[in-house]
Amino acid sequence: MPEHSPASDGSGPGDAAARPAPRPRVRRRVTTEPVPGTDPNPSPEPTRHAENENDDRLKADKPPHWG
């Protein structure tokens, strides 16, 4: 079985300088222009329901095995 030298496996001290530097990660997020005629500052949505409106119904709606 041949001897395996530590310098040939890529982990030697001289090999770090021979490797190229890692490239920064390129983000591939696509940006699109808004559709013509859209409002750049839309009005906020109206309140849909009270914050505690469904609490009683949700608390009563339990599976049978929950007792």
Side-chain angles (χ1 to χ4, degrees):
M1 193 162 155
E3 288 278 330
H4 184 67
S5 67
S8 66
D9 68 353
S11 64
D15 291 334
R19 282 191 232 127
R23 294 185 307 162
R25 177 174 275 181
V26 178
R27 302 253 183 228
R28 295 183 178 176
R29 177 158 292 190
V30 176
T31 58
T32 59
E33 294 297 318
V35 177
T38 57
D39 187 4
N41 300 315
S43 60
E45 284 192 32
T47 305
R48 295 177 185 218
H49 55 79
E51 200 169 302
N52 62 355
E53 181 178 344
N54 292 325
D55 287 353
D56 292 333
R57 187 178 57 130
L58 291 172
K59 288 177 184 175
D61 189 21
K62 295 180 185 174
H65 64 276
W66 279 21

